Amino acid sequence: AKDRDEFVYGQFPAGFMWGLATAAYQVEGAWNEDGKGPSIWDDFAHQSGRIANGDTGDVACDSYHKYKEDVQMLKHVGVTFYRFSIAWSRVLPDGTLGSLNSKGIDYYNRLIDELLANNITPFVTLYHWDLPSALQKQGGWLNESIIDRYNDYAKLCFENFGDRVKLWLTFNEAYVISWLGHGIGIFAPGIKSPGTGVYQVAHNIIRSHVKAYHSYDTLFRSRFNGKVGITLDIEWKEPFTMSSADGYAAERALQFKLGWFANAIFGNGDYPSVMKQYVAAKSKSQHLLKSRLPEFTDDEKRMNAGSYDFLGINHYTTNLVSDVPNTDSTPSYERDQDIETREDPCWEKTPVDWLRVNPWGIRKLLNYIKSRYGNPTVYITESGRPDVDGVDDQGRISYYKSYTNELMKAINIDGCNVKGYTGWSLMDNLEWSSGYSLRFGVYYVNFTDPARPRTPRKSVDFLRNLFSNNGFYKQ
Ligand code: GBH
């Protein structure tokens, strides 16, 4: 096997898929146009102090009006596919079927048709965090009635777009919805329930995924023959020292973040046993009568296991993990794990604290997934970094070059079953609570100009070569 960090020339397997991604709230704008209902991110952004600099997604990149230009940009880069999300409240303004908005359906039809006319495969996320506000008023992901509302919405999308969309993601980053949205509340809907709500939300997300997956299976698969997966976000978790305690801590960190969702869907249908043990023990020491981690019924476990056609992975960075038993007895998903995480100060910094550059993490992660979940089909559904405002984004180029090189080793040398790689993002966009200050795009967007003009960065040329060569050639 090739050493870490050693660059290898070579190509990806024939048919490997290359793409770029966005999400509805981050790019569409037109937040209340043509019948769209409000979402929890509209509400969140409209409260003061939630998003840096008072930014909102009201206009964003104006992709609702500029989607044809977006498609030409994608074509210029030479992608195989475009990963975008459908805004639930654009097609169902109050979240339920009774509110069907045909103009919302029309918009996604136009976008999908424009992509196909330009030979670009649509790869669709059903839920990238923008719950219709009306459903939040009924408890949102904390209320298990959401499972049926989500299933209605998913079936509506399968029915309307499934003739042309063959790649579906039920959720983007179930962890972020649960922990950031309902644990610490720094993302919409801003709920702080770090010890209990967080686990209930995750439970309802898993059950929603599983129900929608089986709906596709029974109602649409024979007609449309597409694939349905879920995207989970996960850093590589490297032990901080060679002690066995830190080795177990790193494994625990993977199980609590990736395994939380993946063990049910890609494993045995249940939560990871280490997670069940830890949350039960903590709950007991907190004098609770039962574990804060919900339980699946036997029927649910049977339905959970194997409810996927592929695994989507968003991967950006690596954490170092050490074993630190917690003494604070306040219930919290974070404290349940008895770990501490940090970054290696030697890894190259980016404009954001949580993301340092560590190329070999992606290869280790993919090998972990291969051995832990039986080498499922994987798509890297996001990967990237923020860089300078200007167009000379050398940091982004070397990030993509080194990460995709490690990815190539994972596929060609290690036999990991990865079918595609997606750069985040096609263009600068509303970076959630950070607003427009963090630029992840390979296209620069000028947010002070009402026309929201886009300009290609240098990384566009790099990706054009990478994609058209399907890998790396010796100069
Ligand atoms: C992805 O999240 C999202 O899917 C995508 O929409 C987003 O634009 C992209 O990454 C870039 O961030 O500093 O406390 O605010 C990646 C996982 C979870 C990483 C939230 C950053 C914010 C931590 N992200 N986290 S904080």
Side-chain angles (χ1 to χ4, degrees), residues 23 26 83 128-129 172-173 175-176 180 186-187 233 314 316 352 354 382 424 429-434 440:
Q26 296 180 274
R83 177 178 171 231
H128 203 123
W129 309 350
N172 181 66
E173 300 187 346
Y175 160 89
V176 169
L180 278 74
I186 64 168
F187 278 13
D233 57 310
N314 289 356
Y316 288 88
V352 71
W354 59 267
E382 284 180 29
W424 181 274
N429 56 50
L430 193 273
E431 178 51 26
W432 307 110
S433 298
S434 306
F440 274 88

Side-chain angles (χ1 to χ4, degrees), residues 126-186:
L126 287 170
Y127 187 77
H128 203 123
W129 309 350
D130 45 357
L131 189 74
S133 304
L135 294 179
Q136 187 60 47
K137 293 197 184 85
Q138 293 163 32
W141 295 107
L142 283 161
N143 180 342
E144 67 178 3
S145 68
I146 196 72
I147 299 167
D148 287 329
R149 298 293 76 72
Y150 178 83
N151 189 49
D152 290 344
Y153 162 63
K155 287 194 300 187
L156 178 82
C157 292
F158 296 151
E159 180 70 51
N160 278 275
F161 311 121
D163 56 337
R164 288 152 296 151
V165 175
K166 305 300 172 186
L167 289 167
W168 294 96
L169 290 161
T170 53
F171 288 90
N172 181 66
E173 300 187 346
Y175 160 89
V176 169
I177 303 165
S178 307
W179 179 239
L180 278 74
H182 301 81
I184 49 176
I186 64 168

Side-chain angles (χ1 to χ4, degrees), residues 206 210 255 258-277 293 296-308 371-374:
I206 293 168
V210 171
Q255 292 288 8
L258 178 66
W260 190 7
F261 305 95
N263 206 71
I265 299 165
F266 301 85
N268 68 5
D270 199 0
Y271 291 113
S273 48
V274 70
M275 202 173 169
K276 294 203 289 185
Q277 281 162 25
L293 187 67
F296 292 113
T297 65
D298 288 342
D299 275 350
E300 284 174 336
K301 287 180 205 166
R302 272 192 293 276
M303 296 295 272
N304 292 345
S307 62
Y308 69 92
S371 64
R372 174 68 62 202
Y373 303 112

Side-chain angles (χ1 to χ4, degrees), residues 195-196 199 276-293 331 336:
T196 48
Y199 289 120
K276 294 203 289 185
Q277 281 162 25
Y278 269 67
V279 184
K282 297 274 181 192
S283 302
K284 198 168 175 209
S285 74
Q286 290 151 357
H287 311 293
L288 299 170
L289 293 174
K290 56 196 268 273
S291 176
R292 287 177 280 102
L293 187 67
D336 284 339

Side-chain angles (χ1 to χ4, degrees), residues 39 43-44 91 116 161 171 176 235 237 279 295 304 336:
S39 81
D43 299 340
F44 200 67
V91 297
L116 292 172
F161 311 121
F171 288 90
V176 169
E235 303 80 19
K237 307 283 187 185
V279 184
E295 284 177 20
N304 292 345
D336 284 339

Side-chain angles (χ1 to χ4, degrees), residues 366-386:
L366 289 166
N367 275 279
Y368 176 85
I369 290 169
K370 178 187 174 199
S371 64
R372 174 68 62 202
Y373 303 112
N375 208 11
T377 298
V378 171
Y379 287 85
I380 301 294
T381 43
E382 284 180 29
S383 176
R385 58 160 285 181

